[in-house]
Amino acid sequence: MTDPSAHQPLVIALTGGIAAGKTQVSDRFAARGVPVIDTDQLAREVIAPGTEGLAAVRSTFGEAIMNADGTVNRQALSERIFADADARRKLEVITHPRIRARVSAALRELETPYALVVIPLLAETGWQDLADRVLVVDAPASLQRARLMQREQIDADQAARRLASQASREQRLAVADEVIDNTATPEALDDAVSALDRQYRALAEKNR
């Protein structure tokens, strides 16, 4: 749980499997004025040119994952870590402490009732301690796979490997306080987010 003495908003961790629709949900919260802190975006920032994170990634993985302009070739790095669990752990050692520090700093700057922190790998990392509640965006693996293949233009085998590298649907649901079923219409998703927004605002007011 978050530290009540830190004077920060109620923190909702948003998670879900790859291609489950986390962005569809977080965009709807943002449209309601809720600050959204995206750890995927922070993951890019902590290995941006000129950072200690980039230097560590370059030293660990070599020039094969670098672009000519000195930035990380994200596709090459992704292929490496999805194919090699040890490589993925090495990257996490570099990036995770830096991401967590940025999340904490961003939350301290907010004065809103509550905030959303998007943490795709919440179940894998055990970062539940960053949040007061966990919201899982849920979709069947078959739908995730189809969406992923279309979005990334990859084949079924590649999509299956990426899905297998993450926690299972059951593991994610086990850490959930709330669940959004993202298999229905956009209107149903609007309604679900609207109801949760009211719930979280009421809870934040109650906990003040």
Side-chain angles (χ1 to χ4, degrees), residues 83-147:
D84 183 346
D86 184 56
R88 186 166 65 251
R89 285 189 289 269
K90 288 179 179 177
L91 180 64
E92 290 169 353
V93 167
I94 295 168
T95 60
H96 283 187
R98 292 174 168 88
I99 294 168
R100 283 185 64 112
R102 292 198 177 207
V103 169
S104 296
L107 288 171
R108 286 195 296 269
E109 296 297 317
L110 296 176
E111 297 181 0
T112 52
Y114 78 97
L116 208 68
V117 182
V118 183
I119 310 176
L121 301 180
L122 180 73
E124 294 87 339
T125 59
W127 283 10
Q128 292 93 318
D129 64 302
L130 283 174
D132 297 293
R133 300 191 72 79
V134 174
L135 171 60
V136 171
V137 183
D138 184 49
S142 58
L143 182 55
Q144 290 178 255
R145 183 167 55 251
R147 288 173 175 169

Side-chain angles (χ1 to χ4, degrees), residues 58-71:
R58 192 170 198 161
S59 174
T60 301
F61 297 100
E63 297 303 309
I65 55 87
M66 299 299 298
N67 291 316
D69 63 358
T71 60

